[in-house]
Amino acid sequence: MDLIDELGTVVPELGEMLDIRLNVLKALSKHQLRIGRKALAKQIHLSERTLRTNLQVLRDQSLVDVSRAGIRITDEGQRVGHLIQQLRMGQDRLPEYEAALAKELNIQNCWVVAGDVDSDFTVFQMLAEAVQTILGQELPQEAVVAVTGGSTLANMGQHFTKELSQNRQLSFVPSRGGMEGSFHIQSNTVAGIMAHETQADYVPLYIPDRLTDQLSQVIVKDPTIKKALDLSRSADCLLLSVGAAQVMSKRRKLTPPQERILLEGQAVGEAFGIFYDAEGKVVFSIPRLGLQLEDVIKFPLLLTIVAGQQKAPATRAFYKMMPKQTWLICDKSLAKAVLNGVTQFK
């Protein structure tokens, strides 16, 4: 048990108070200019009353500066927030789950954070901190990171920080074109969010995901598009996620005949346009312009970020297609679901 845990046994409300105030400091650290209280409360999902109470404590400790013009974090607030964040990262990581998960999935690297993303939105922050730590340790000084789309990466990417690009020439590039559905989870959008939050370069890929073969041959000759496609294939790292087959078939607006193929093939998951069954065998593949399966398995650093227990079957099957030298970064709820019946973790 570490110091924070021990203090929590004496002051049970300490953990919740610490989370709230750390979230306030994290949010303020991303703003160079002052931000209004209403906008800050909305950003970190707090009532204005709760925020006002906690701001007063932080102000009394000289961690934030509050005026009519808005709120900003002080240098001392930056220092204290970073120190607490480093302490909490060690507390939030679950090594016993990581070891069991790596053995069960036959992969080398796992990072499991505490919590359940379906009931606690702050889990996305912990996932972002884990991914950023790995990238900070593994990426070269000049690095390109390719990014798929999806809600998990979109929510996680909002919590990246500029520390990742310090002393590093960093670029983010989407791994595929746009598809039908929500704008905020498109590969282009997610790569742009990550580039913005880390103050890195951004290379867009403004093309539809699905094109005819004839049109694809013409488009890939465009210098801007060719640059983005080449960068995504030769990137130093790929960030991706997986989804449940039924959910992704709706999101990708598959036709009734295509959905029947998934049903008959007993598809359980989807990643980068490929629907696969419980054994990791391809059931159906959507023609797409961008990374293919043969490209994905060649990346020197492959980070798969998954959260939520409903994605357990998709995650288990996914790693039957992937090389051993890869990463899974997930929350406790996903880890427990994958390990259900294999271990006695609670």
Side-chain angles (χ1 to χ4, degrees):
M1 180 178 288
D2 63 17
L3 177 60
I4 294 177
D5 282 333
E6 290 177 355
L7 289 174
T9 62
V10 180
V11 189
E13 66 274 21
L14 175 65
E16 181 180 357
M17 292 166 54
L18 184 61
D19 285 340
I20 290 174
R21 291 169 191 171
L22 182 57
N23 286 340
V24 172
L25 294 176
K26 282 182 183 178
L28 289 173
S29 69
K30 296 183 179 182
H31 294 276
Q32 294 182 345
L33 302 177
R34 293 180 182 270
I35 182 174
R37 187 165 55 210
K38 185 175 182 179
L40 180 59
K42 183 177 180 181
Q43 183 177 330
I44 57 179
H45 308 286
L46 282 181
S47 68
E48 288 191 58
R49 180 178 179 179
T50 301
L51 177 60
R52 186 184 304 111
T53 300
N54 284 278
L55 280 176
Q56 185 59 54
V57 176
L58 295 173
R59 184 180 187 179
D60 291 344
Q61 300 301 319
S62 301
L63 302 181
V64 301
D65 181 64
V66 182
S67 71
R68 290 186 178 181
I71 309 154
R72 69 172 181 85
I73 191 170
T74 64
D75 290 342
E76 180 65 6
Q78 292 275 18
R79 186 190 70 79
V80 171
H82 180 70
L83 177 61
I84 295 174
Q85 184 175 326
Q86 293 301 110
L87 290 172
R88 293 304 301 271
M89 280 188 66
Q91 181 188 36
D92 291 331
R93 191 171 180 181
L94 304 175
E96 68 276 17
Y97 279 89
E98 294 168 0
L101 208 52
K103 181 179 179 180
E104 177 63 19
L105 298 177
N106 192 30
I107 56 178
Q108 289 182 347
N109 304 295
C110 286
W111 189 311
V112 181
V113 303
D116 180 352
V117 76
D118 293 327
S119 59
D120 183 2
F121 199 78
T122 63
V123 170
F124 284 119
Q125 296 179 1
M126 291 188 283
L127 292 171
E129 290 161 4
V131 172
Q132 185 157 311
T133 298
I134 296 167
L135 293 178
Q137 294 172 349
E138 300 291 337
L139 289 180
Q141 287 191 325
E142 293 186 15
V144 176
V145 177
V147 181
T148 65
S151 58
T152 298
L153 294 189
N155 288 319
M156 184 199 71
Q158 297 176 24
H159 301 289
F160 276 9
T161 70
K162 61 184 179 182
E163 291 178 4
L164 185 60
S165 61
Q166 288 180 351
N167 302 316
R168 178 181 286 116
Q169 181 61 45
L170 181 63
S171 299
F172 286 89
V173 60
S175 65
R176 69 184 187 212
M179 64 178 186
E180 293 183 84
S182 301
F183 169 77
H184 80 284
I185 63 174
Q186 301 289 330
S187 182
N188 259 307
T189 307
V190 176
I193 289 171
M194 292 181 177
H196 174 75
E197 297 297 338
T198 59
Q199 297 183 7
D201 293 330
Y202 167 55
V203 181
L205 181 60
Y206 291 125
I207 55 173
D209 201 27
R210 303 190 198 184
L211 294 171
T212 64
D213 290 340
Q214 184 177 6
L215 187 55
S216 295
Q217 292 175 9
V218 175
I219 284 183
V220 295
K221 295 179 181 178
D222 178 87
T224 303
I225 293 174
K226 185 177 186 302
K227 175 186 176 182
L229 289 173
D230 289 345
L231 268 179
S232 68
R233 292 193 183 99
S234 62
D236 300 282
C237 173
L238 174 64
L239 303 181
L240 75 154
S241 189
V242 302
Q246 187 175 10
V247 173
M248 296 307 298
S249 69
K250 302 299 182 186
R251 184 174 295 173
R252 293 187 178 277
K253 300 185 183 299
L254 298 191
T255 64
Q258 291 171 333
E259 289 187 341
R260 281 197 296 272
I261 293 174
L262 299 186
L263 183 62
E264 293 170 359
Q266 299 181 320
V268 299
E270 185 270 350
F272 46 87
I274 292 176
F275 288 84
Y276 50 88
D277 65 14
E279 298 304 316
K281 296 179 180 178
V282 177
V283 173
F284 178 73
S285 181
I286 300 174
R288 61 202 298 271
L289 190 60
L291 292 181
Q292 308 298 323
L293 177 60
E294 56 269 26
D295 299 316
V296 171
I297 61 179
K298 295 177 182 177
F299 276 87
L301 183 60
L302 182 63
L303 273 57
T304 306
I305 303 95
V306 193
Q309 60 183 337
Q310 74 280 1
K311 295 182 180 180
T315 303
R316 178 185 287 275
F318 177 74
Y319 282 100
K320 295 182 179 181
M321 299 189 292
M322 291 295 104
K324 185 175 182 179
Q325 62 277 12
T326 186
W327 277 90
L328 169 61
I329 301 96
C330 67
D331 64 352
K332 181 180 178 181
S333 69
L334 183 281
K336 284 180 63 177
V338 170
L339 293 169
N340 186 32
V342 179
T343 67
Q344 299 300 316
F345 286 123
K346 296 180 180 181

